[in-house]
Amino acid sequence: CSKSNFLLKKMEISVAEAEKRTGKNAVNMQETYTVYLIETRPVDAASEGTNPVPDSLWRRYSEFEQLRNYLLVTYPFLVVPPLPEKRAEFVWHKLSADNMDPDFVERRRVGLENFLLRVASHPDLSTDKIFYSFLTEENGWKETVFETGFQAKADSRLKALNATFRVKNPDKRFAEMKHYGDELQSVISQLLRVRARAADRLYGVYKVHGNYGRVFSEWSAIEKEMGDGLQSAGHHMDAYAASVDDILEEEEHYADQLKEYLFYADALRAVCRKHELTQYELEMAAQDLTSKKQQREELATGTIRTFSLKGMTSKLFGQETPEQREAKLKMLETQIEEGEELVKERNGECEEFVKSAWVDIERFKEQKDHDLREALISYAIMQISMCKKGIQVWNNAKECFSKM
Amino acid sequence: EFSVDGLSRVLMHILYFTSSASMINQYKFEEEEEDADTKDIFVTVDNPESHVTAIETYITYRVETKTTRSEFDSSEFEVRRRYQDFLWLKGRLEEAHPTLIVHPLPEKFVMKGMVERFNEDFIETRRSALHKFLNKIAEHPIFSSSEDFKIFLTAGSGELTSHKKQGPGFLSRMGETVKAVAAAVRGVRSRPQEFTDMQEYVEAFSQKISSIDKVTQRIVREQKEYLEELKECGPTYALWSQSEEELAEPLKNVAGCVDKCCKETDEQVKHLNDHLIPVLHEYVLCADTLKAVLRRRDNIQADFEAKTEALATKKADRDAMRDELDKTEDRLEWANNALKSDWTRWQKGMRTDLRSAFIDTAERNVSYYEKCLAVWESFLQSQRTDAEGNGNVDFS
């Protein structure tokens, strides 16, 4: 994100802290929840050296969700950055699946900060007023966002995205992108699952070595010459066993990077789906227009080219009067006019959507390639660090064994 | 025909059993240091072969001996022996020297997991253990001059069979066993403190070495399960690379790295299994051997104590009984001194064996991490060269 910082050029944003709160919820029941401190500071202030106290406000996860839902319905042609997961998934046994667990809260804090930074560095999203007031307006933000009526739009959007419909002339590019989104989601899920199981096993390997520490220590008590060597080797085995906690904590950070793109894949698919919907609505409008035009022709020329129940019943029960026909024609003309407007409108929407969406998709692709490459590199660096620790511990152990 | 080294061995035999413990240890240390430089017998066990007869199928191993010792008729021998023959040799050595420590043989059967007697890994593990067994005998100052050992190494199969038939008959062996059981039941009255200390040590050692054996086996199990999961990571990265364009190369690269690390992990587990576990297992069996040796010593003392008591109370046959008592007393002193010397010897050997096994394991682990390190560093290197080419990745 070094290219265009937009809002970030003017403002420093961070999610500095997390705190537990208790309060009464909507159904007047006592609940415990976590709030996150959003700090903002004008960039200039820091560089002037005055370093004033940042502005800050507390928000809970559900408010972040509301913000994101608002962004989704307002900018359906953009790949909207995802939030960190609602519940801990792909968990290996030692890692808590509890939302209240301090490690989970900490990782969520980092994820929420990441979300805000992503939005703030997006060329379009960063200019959104609701986003700005989310960062700056503690009270009243909820009302402001509700007034936009996004909730209703969010519900209908969800419904539409899950509906099944067929597009006659699908846009190849979007179809491919949707397919890519499906594959990305599938493969990252698989990778996260496999990685979690491997982490679980690795934990076991390291921790069992701790038993060496205990037994060597006990054994050293009954030996004369061997005692010191065994005892000190035992300490290194304990250190080895303990080292896995840090190793796996770092790896969890890598898993979080993968998860972000797992959820990004979903956002990408949503854009493609929305495009399909837009296309479908255009096709429906065009189809409707064509059929209306056909009806007008039939009425005008008196021929029935296409089967219609009305046509058949009128044939069976007698033709209409000329006056009735005139009225009908006039109505059809109006409808056709409206229909043509609608098609024009929808066509315009579709073109706009395609243009904007494709720009953002290209931006997303570049960001994804860059970020995931960085993630793979940081994974390699983690592995190297783990190997170096292993080399050190076993060299130390070897020295101790030599003194046996 | 006398020779210098043959004579020195005979003298050592005498001194071994009559001198005080400390003098023996001093003597033996010198002897052993000489032995280290002037090892004059080399024994190898290899080449397992399967034999099928009408009644049974069994494995024989080639036992090759190269020696400059004068009591051997030639300098090279090659014979084939089966497990039963090794068992016989061990039995003979234990009979002749009940309070000396004979290195354990690999177990008769492997009960866990229904391992076939003719499974390749089992045969190799057994071969290696038999090789160690014979070498421990060859290194031992007393055992290596045993006539039974010599015959084991040199006799043709017919000769060995007929030699086996000699020695104390069945009834006499039964008699010894009955005596031993009686002595065990009687128990020892006043065991010298040093042997009580030994027993306490052996109890504790037995527990510790068994724990270490179990811990190591558990590590092997956990490593194998880790490997199973890791094996799925590489293919997943490879699958992913198929959907990507820019990312395809780094993803394929990572897949390759993970696969290489899998291979290294596999080798490392194999090494633990083939090197550390057999040694630990040997010393678990050693602990049992030591317990048996201490029991046998106790039995000899119990026997002596019983005879002393009998002499005090009996009126008839006193001369005969006194003779018997004197013999038993000698036997006890002999047994105690032998045990004391061999104990020190055994401890030194245990320390050497376990130390080198642990060092070997530590070195192997270092090598494992070094290899994996190299794999990931080459990945980083490849990404650096790519980045420098594209000019877009910041490595700071």
Side-chain angles (χ1 to χ4, degrees):
Chain A
C1 296
S2 57
K3 280 200 200 159
S4 39
N5 292 354
F6 302 94
L7 185 62
L8 282 183
K9 277 205 172 110
K10 303 179 241 161
M11 187 188 232
E12 266 176 35
I13 305 170
S14 71
V15 176
E17 285 167 39
E19 247 180 46
K20 270 211 194 89
R21 295 273 166 86
T22 34
K24 291 246 153 87
N25 67 4
V27 290
N28 214 29
M29 280 178 63
Q30 195 80 329
E31 63 165 359
T32 310
Y33 55 91
T34 312
V35 286
Y36 300 87
L37 185 67
I38 299 177
E39 283 186 355
T40 49
R41 184 175 22 209
V43 164
D44 327 29
S47 59
E48 272 169 27
T50 51
N51 213 22
V53 173
D55 294 321
S56 61
L57 46 78
W58 295 92
R59 294 248 185 255
R60 45 188 299 195
Y61 185 83
S62 54
E63 292 175 271
F64 280 84
E65 279 183 307
Q66 281 174 337
L67 172 65
R68 186 162 189 268
N69 285 336
Y70 163 78
L71 293 174
L72 282 172
V73 302
T74 316
Y75 306 91
F77 45 83
L78 296 182
V79 182
V80 176
L83 285 172
E85 56 191 354
K86 206 171 164 73
R87 265 166 289 279
E89 305 268 353
F90 306 106
V91 172
W92 59 279
H93 95 277
K94 197 226 162 190
L95 211 62
S96 177
D98 174 19
N99 282 10
M100 284 297 170
D101 180 77
D103 286 332
F104 179 80
V105 167
E106 170 58 20
R107 286 183 19 248
R108 180 176 264 192
R109 182 195 65 75
V110 171
L112 290 174
E113 185 177 282
N114 188 55
F115 166 74
L116 293 179
L117 293 175
R118 291 272 194 212
V119 175
S121 53
H122 190 286
D124 304 315
L125 296 173
S126 61
T127 59
D128 187 279
K129 296 207 165 39
I130 297 289
F131 174 60
Y132 186 80
S133 66
F134 179 88
L135 296 174
T136 53
E137 209 183 301
E138 177 137 38
N139 306 308
W141 177 77
K142 269 210 163 112
E143 287 73 23
T144 316
V145 79
F146 264 133
E147 272 162 26
T148 63
F150 85 96
Q151 194 61 57
K153 282 195 224 160
D155 295 336
S156 73
R157 167 188 178 268
L158 212 61
K159 210 164 149 207
L161 286 181
N162 287 330
T164 40
F165 50 82
R166 275 255 304 212
V167 170
K168 285 211 186 106
N169 296 311
D171 184 317
K172 214 167 147 219
R173 286 182 309 170
F174 281 94
E176 278 174 11
M177 253 308 119
K178 182 146 131 347
H179 184 60
Y180 170 75
D182 290 338
E183 287 184 340
L184 188 67
Q185 194 168 56
S186 161
V187 84
I188 293 184
S189 297
Q190 191 178 316
L191 188 59
L192 284 169
R193 255 195 311 275
V194 168
R195 190 214 71 88
R197 285 201 299 260
D200 208 19
R201 291 300 171 197
L202 189 67
Y203 183 79
V205 171
Y206 272 75
K207 286 302 178 188
V208 177
H209 279 84
N211 291 338
Y212 272 153
R214 182 180 48 83
V215 182
F216 281 170
S217 177
E218 291 167 8
W219 183 9
S220 71
I222 61 168
E223 296 291 343
K224 290 180 221 122
E225 283 101 346
M226 275 172 35
D228 291 335
L230 274 177
Q231 177 90 295
S232 46
H235 291 321
H236 291 298
M237 290 298 97
D238 286 331
Y240 182 71
S243 70
V244 75
D245 294 311
D246 284 342
I247 288 168
L248 288 178
E249 205 185 288
E250 266 191 77
E251 251 198 43
E252 212 52 45
H253 179 65
Y254 170 69
D256 283 341
Q257 289 175 289
L258 292 179
K259 275 181 200 169
E260 192 190 12
Y261 277 91
L262 176 66
F263 303 139
Y264 253 128
D266 203 46
L268 181 66
R269 278 160 73 233
V271 171
C272 298
R273 200 80 173 107
K274 175 69 183 182
H275 168 260
E276 251 187 324
L277 187 60
T278 313
Q279 175 92 345
Y280 178 73
E281 284 173 351
L282 171 64
E283 282 180 0
M284 286 294 106
Q287 203 176 296
D288 195 52
L289 182 66
T290 311
S291 106
K292 289 253 157 45
K293 281 188 177 166
Q294 214 148 51
Q295 278 179 47
R296 178 182 61 185
E297 201 192 311
E298 284 167 15
L299 216 55
T301 61
T303 58
I304 295 172
R305 229 177 286 137
T306 54
F307 178 83
S308 83
L309 191 59
K310 220 164 181 191
M312 282 297 111
T313 51
S314 65
K315 261 231 136 105
L316 286 169
F317 298 113
Q319 296 272 9
E320 304 155 309
T321 64
E323 292 83 16
Q324 282 173 330
R325 220 162 25 124
E326 264 325 300
K328 265 218 186 115
L329 258 167
K330 218 167 170 210
M331 197 175 68
L332 268 173
E333 286 295 345
T334 323
Q335 283 177 344
I336 285 168
E337 245 181 74
E338 286 171 355
E340 274 171 344
E341 276 301 313
L342 186 64
V343 168
K344 210 164 127 193
E345 202 184 291
R346 295 232 170 125
N347 209 15
E349 274 173 23
C350 214
E351 277 178 14
E352 267 301 310
F353 188 100
V354 170
K355 209 168 65 172
S356 313
W358 209 255
V359 166
D360 203 45
I361 285 175
E362 290 295 336
R363 181 204 61 81
F364 167 75
K365 270 206 266 189
E366 256 191 68
Q367 175 198 296
K368 175 226 1 144
D369 287 340
H370 174 270
D371 289 352
L372 287 174
R373 192 142 170 278
E374 292 283 299
L376 292 175
I377 287 170
S378 73
Y379 180 73
I381 291 174
M382 262 185 264
Q383 297 304 301
I384 287 171
S385 155
M386 177 174 102
C387 289
K388 284 190 177 157
K389 279 189 205 164
I391 289 169
Q392 189 183 46
V393 161
W394 286 104
N395 268 331
N396 287 342
K398 181 183 155 187
E399 251 189 71
C400 297
F401 289 137
S402 310
K403 298 201 189 112
M404 265 168 71
Chain B
E1 229 178 282
F2 267 158
S3 68
V4 176
D5 45 8
L7 180 60
S8 77
R9 240 178 282 281
V10 171
L11 284 173
M12 220 204 80
H13 249 96
I14 296 169
L15 283 166
Y16 192 74
F17 291 119
T18 56
S19 309
S20 72
S22 58
M23 210 184 122
I24 287 170
N25 288 339
Q26 196 184 36
Y27 189 94
K28 269 164 34 63
F29 265 120
E30 287 170 33
E31 178 81 22
E32 271 183 67
E33 275 158 36
E34 277 175 49
D35 270 348
D37 296 327
T38 57
K39 190 171 171 191
D40 55 5
I41 180 165
F42 298 86
V43 182
T44 322
V45 177
D46 58 19
N47 195 242
E49 257 173 33
S50 154
H51 297 255
V52 185
T53 68
I55 329 163
E56 57 174 347
T57 309
Y58 60 91
I59 308 268
T60 61
Y61 302 85
R62 186 180 81 118
V63 177
E64 186 195 54
T65 309
K66 293 197 170 111
T67 180
T68 53
R69 288 190 183 173
S70 55
E71 56 265 40
F72 285 82
D73 294 332
S74 154
S75 61
E76 267 189 57
F77 295 90
E78 189 180 307
V79 296
R80 294 208 73 90
R81 295 285 178 253
R82 56 186 290 190
Y83 183 80
Q84 270 179 21
D85 302 330
F86 287 84
L87 262 182
W88 168 83
L89 176 62
K90 177 167 189 261
R92 294 286 294 174
L93 294 174
E94 280 173 344
E95 245 181 272
H97 311 280
T99 60
L100 288 186
I101 302 162
V102 181
H103 198 71
L105 274 177
E107 278 133 326
K108 231 170 145 63
F109 302 112
V110 179
M111 288 318 287
K112 60 183 175 189
M114 300 280 285
V115 171
E116 263 187 58
R117 273 192 304 139
F118 308 106
N119 166 278
E120 246 181 63
D121 284 338
F122 173 75
I123 291 172
E124 172 50 30
T125 310
R126 185 174 259 202
R127 182 210 63 77
S128 170
L130 293 174
H131 176 91
K132 276 209 198 124
F133 169 78
L134 285 184
N135 275 279
K136 285 282 188 184
I137 306 295
E139 283 163 21
H140 195 287
I142 305 302
F143 293 146
S144 70
S145 354
S146 147
E147 186 65 21
D148 293 313
F149 183 51
K150 177 156 162 267
I151 289 179
F152 178 91
L153 292 178
T154 61
S157 49
E159 209 191 316
L160 179 65
T161 315
S162 62
H163 177 81
K164 277 190 189 183
K165 291 202 178 109
Q166 295 169 19
F170 178 70
L171 283 176
S172 125
R173 280 209 295 279
M174 272 300 283
E176 287 301 316
T177 312
V178 168
K179 267 206 234 165
V181 169
V185 167
R186 244 194 319 265
V188 148
R189 290 290 164 71
S190 52
R191 190 198 287 130
Q193 185 59 38
E194 60 190 318
F195 296 115
T196 302
D197 291 343
M198 266 184 211
Q199 187 166 64
E200 278 170 17
Y201 172 84
V202 170
E203 278 304 320
F205 174 80
S206 174
Q207 272 176 24
K208 301 312 153 200
I209 198 74
S210 294
S211 287
I212 293 178
D213 184 40
K214 285 202 191 88
V215 169
T216 310
Q217 288 190 41
R218 187 143 166 235
I219 289 175
V220 165
R221 265 201 311 275
E222 297 278 345
Q223 283 270 47
K224 281 188 175 155
E225 293 189 352
Y226 169 64
L227 189 56
E228 281 310 298
E229 302 299 344
L230 198 63
K231 276 191 179 148
E232 305 211 14
C233 282
T236 307
Y237 281 109
L239 178 65
W240 186 358
S241 75
Q242 289 172 20
S243 313
E244 298 287 344
E245 292 157 5
E246 284 291 310
L247 279 179
E249 184 271 322
L251 283 170
K252 257 188 247 168
N253 207 324
V254 167
C257 290
V258 173
D259 287 339
K260 284 198 198 112
C261 288
C262 276
K263 275 208 194 79
E264 295 302 335
T265 308
D266 196 30
E267 300 267 327
Q268 200 249 6
V269 171
K270 237 179 138 273
H271 190 268
L272 265 182
N273 239 345
D274 294 345
H275 292 92
L276 183 58
I277 286 188
V279 174
L280 293 175
H281 198 60
E282 265 171 53
Y283 277 93
V284 168
L285 295 176
C286 267
D288 291 336
T289 304
L290 293 173
K291 284 180 197 167
V293 164
L294 285 170
R295 260 199 312 273
R296 288 199 284 265
R297 191 220 69 85
D298 274 357
N299 289 346
I300 296 173
Q301 182 171 335
D303 188 38
F304 170 72
E305 284 172 353
K307 291 197 169 108
T308 311
E309 236 183 80
L311 188 65
T313 55
K314 283 275 170 66
K315 304 291 176 192
D317 283 331
R318 288 185 76 85
D319 284 336
M321 286 186 83
R322 189 169 286 111
D323 269 345
E324 181 68 31
L325 184 64
D326 285 342
K327 268 199 226 150
T328 311
E329 192 172 12
D330 280 344
R331 200 168 152 234
L332 179 59
E333 201 185 320
W334 190 300
N336 286 348
N337 288 336
L339 176 53
K340 280 189 275 194
S341 306
D342 221 22
W343 178 259
T344 313
R345 178 170 207 284
W346 177 84
Q347 283 210 301
K348 190 156 173 266
M350 179 268 284
R351 206 163 65 235
T352 308
D353 286 349
L354 290 177
R355 177 176 58 217
S356 70
F358 288 137
I359 289 175
D360 181 60
T361 301
E363 279 176 351
R364 193 62 192 68
N365 286 344
V366 168
S367 160
Y368 163 73
Y369 280 116
E370 282 175 345
K371 292 202 183 110
C372 291
L373 181 74
V375 164
W376 289 108
E377 283 200 325
S378 82
F379 170 76
L380 276 190
Q381 192 55 40
S382 75
Q383 297 307 303
R384 266 189 200 112
T385 4
D386 270 0
E388 274 152 29
N390 301 342
N392 58 2
V393 178
D394 180 12
F395 275 88
S396 60

